[in-house]
Amino acid sequence: MSFASRELREEILYWCKESVRTGLNFNTQGNISIRLPEHDAIVITPSGIRYDVLTVDEMVVVGYDGVVIEGDLFPSTETDVHLAHYRRRPDINAIVHTESPYANMFGAVGKTIDPVLLNMVLYAKGAVRIMPFEFSTNKDFGELSAALMGDDTNAVVWGNHGMISVGEDVAGAFKVAVAVEANAQVLYGSLQLGTPNILELEKIVIPEGARLP
């Protein structure tokens, strides 16, 4: 019996392929994981496998201590980063790492991604901070990333690298990634035209009973 159900594995594979289809990832870039609280573990994409040939059986289950407990392949090189975010945020159950182009443009210049679109405020929960560049395999990288994201936002951009987003489930984490990238693109364009109107979550009144987009 597998620690991670086939349904969860298929869900990860689906969003991996969506990340390529939507232009958030390419080749073997990025990674996705889901928390397995009943096993004190996560299931995560393997390292170095293209998403178009990845299979559900190639996902890797890793314990909270970083030890592989199921799977024949090496887990993502950023597994420790995922684990650091899970430790920091007991409210999240999934993580998506992408190499989103417009978010990366802001990361390359160290400029915070301010929210100018409603979905950015609703899903990312506000401005997305930029972490100064360093290798994501460095010992303390995960803890620094998790601390910068904090408990009040759902994404952070790694300077000159990519973005990590979190959610209650993998669909939610992916929605954050899409919202941030769309916002970064619109923010980039609006800065060429003038001074964008920056949204603040605290000032947005959401009608009672309203469904989120």
Side-chain angles (χ1 to χ4, degrees), residues 18-199:
E18 277 294 286
S19 73
V20 175
R21 187 187 70 80
T22 55
L24 300 182
N25 277 323
F26 61 94
N27 198 10
T28 63
Q29 306 305 308
N31 36 70
I32 296 178
S33 71
I34 295 177
R35 190 196 295 266
L36 305 171
E38 68 277 18
H39 300 300
D40 290 334
I42 66 171
V43 55
I44 192 167
T45 46
S47 176
I49 306 294
R50 295 200 326 265
Y51 293 154
D52 60 330
V53 298
L54 180 65
T55 69
V56 294
D57 294 327
E58 292 174 320
M59 306 297 173
V60 186
V61 178
V62 181
Y64 286 165
D65 58 0
V67 175
V68 173
I69 57 179
E70 185 175 74
D72 298 323
L73 301 177
F74 287 108
S76 165
T77 57
E78 286 150 351
T79 297
D80 287 345
V81 181
H82 286 239
L83 291 171
H85 278 270
Y86 285 121
R87 285 193 295 271
R88 169 80 189 220
R89 294 282 297 272
D91 60 310
I92 66 170
N93 294 301
I95 293 174
V96 173
H97 165 47
T98 62
E99 309 254 338
S100 314
Y102 278 89
N104 266 343
M105 289 168 58
F106 282 84
V109 297
K111 184 176 178 60
T112 298
I113 305 175
D114 290 318
V116 292
L117 296 180
L118 179 59
N119 278 353
M120 172 78 160
V121 177
L122 295 178
Y123 298 118
K125 302 301 182 185
V128 172
R129 307 174 186 107
I130 310 298
M131 180 176 172
F133 172 77
E134 64 175 275
F135 284 104
S136 58
T137 53
N138 285 355
K139 180 182 177 182
D140 297 326
F141 185 93
E143 299 297 340
L144 293 171
S145 175
L148 185 60
M149 182 186 294
D151 304 320
D152 58 335
T153 59
N154 289 329
V156 69
V157 170
W158 303 336
N160 308 89
H161 183 160
M163 174 173 62
I164 189 167
S165 56
V166 303
E168 292 183 1
D169 53 34
V170 68
F174 192 84
K175 188 174 287 187
V176 173
V178 171
V180 174
E181 177 65 359
N183 185 93
Q185 184 171 4
V186 171
L187 178 58
Y188 171 79
S190 61
L191 286 167
Q192 316 308 308
L193 299 174
T195 303
N197 177 41
I198 307 302
L199 299 177

